[in-house]
Amino acid sequence: VKDTGVGIAPNVLEHIFEPFFTTKPQGQGTGLGLSTAMGIVRSHGGYIDVDSQQGMGSEFRVYLPASSGSEETGSKEDGHPERGEGETILLVEDEVSILDASKMILEAGGYEVLTAKDGTEALAAYAGHKDRIRLMVADMSMPLMSGEATIRAVRYLNPDLPVIVSSGLPFDRDGLGSTVKAILQKPYTGKQLLAMVRTVLAEPKITT
């Protein structure tokens, strides 16, 4: 993808793939566009290269691994997370930019994603799709209904639904219960998200 615009300054170029980095005024940019693109490309085993000269424009090149059609992509052996098989994930996050970026990454990784911006939306989504949802990824700090309260309420509907907790702040894990299988520390990369989701979904279910 190439343009003939103003180009990117060297001191900006080295940061463009960092999550939440933006040169736009406050409220006009999330800084997640290029980091999300990089996360999606990396989840497929590729990378993005960029050349830019001020006054002459920029060129982005996306590299993806070739496939013969006989090898599985995203295997554990090549260091990339295995792709999903269409499992439905309930993603609960009040920050819209993170919600949208994570949804894009998960969908690119082979999952179906239902989203909720708070605990009440999460309960409604789960009640309406409880037969499909295999995993919930929930933020701990949300308005109206905290992540902890959301997890407890969903556990009441399904005591066995596995949960991944995401948080940028320390919190007390005691009391969250055994259904919380992993903690995803913010800020996280697309590769980290996909790897953790695959690991939790691959855990054997314990029947009683």
Side-chain angles (χ1 to χ4, degrees):
V1 180
K2 185 175 182 179
D3 67 30
T4 55
V6 297
I8 305 172
N11 64 318
V12 173
L13 188 63
E14 61 184 7
H15 298 291
I16 60 172
F17 293 109
E18 295 176 5
F20 307 108
F21 176 80
T22 180
T23 57
K24 294 181 180 179
Q26 186 172 2
Q28 295 185 25
T30 63
L32 286 170
L34 286 174
S35 64
T36 298
M38 180 66 86
I40 292 172
V41 171
R42 282 180 173 173
S43 74
H44 291 280
Y47 65 96
I48 301 176
D49 190 24
V50 57
D51 285 326
S52 183
Q53 296 184 27
Q54 289 185 277
M56 298 184 65
S58 305
E59 182 175 349
F60 289 79
R61 294 180 294 274
V62 179
Y63 294 87
L64 295 168
S67 173
S68 64
S70 60
E71 298 180 356
E72 292 185 4
T73 59
S75 65
K76 292 180 180 179
E77 288 74 12
D78 64 12
H80 302 289
E82 293 182 8
R83 287 181 56 77
E85 299 176 352
E87 299 98 325
T88 300
I89 297 171
L90 176 57
L91 180 62
V92 191
E93 171 63 61
D94 65 305
E95 293 189 48
V96 176
S97 57
I98 298 177
L99 182 72
D100 291 344
S102 299
K103 181 176 185 290
M104 289 174 61
I105 290 169
L106 288 169
E107 288 179 338
Y111 300 97
E112 181 180 351
V113 183
L114 301 175
T115 60
K117 298 183 184 68
D118 56 48
T120 55
E121 286 189 10
L123 290 178
Y126 185 79
H129 304 278
K130 60 183 178 180
D131 294 333
R132 296 164 46 202
I133 295 173
R134 292 279 311 281
L135 170 70
M136 179 170 72
V137 181
D139 181 33
M140 283 298 290
S141 301
M142 296 185 292
L144 302 178
M145 190 174 184
S146 68
E148 182 177 355
T150 302
I151 293 168
R152 289 181 176 178
V154 171
R155 187 188 299 133
Y156 179 80
L157 299 174
N158 181 357
D160 300 319
L161 182 70
V163 177
I164 294 174
V165 169
S166 66
S167 179
L169 300 171
F171 65 93
D172 186 4
R173 184 171 178 171
D174 294 341
L176 291 179
S178 60
T179 54
V180 174
K181 303 298 183 181
I183 297 174
L184 190 60
Q185 192 69 37
K186 292 181 177 178
Y188 50 81
T189 66
K191 185 175 180 180
Q192 289 171 329
L193 173 62
L194 290 170
M196 188 170 288
V197 165
R198 193 67 255 158
T199 297
V200 171
L201 285 175
E203 289 185 3
K205 292 184 178 180
I206 300 175
T207 57
T208 56

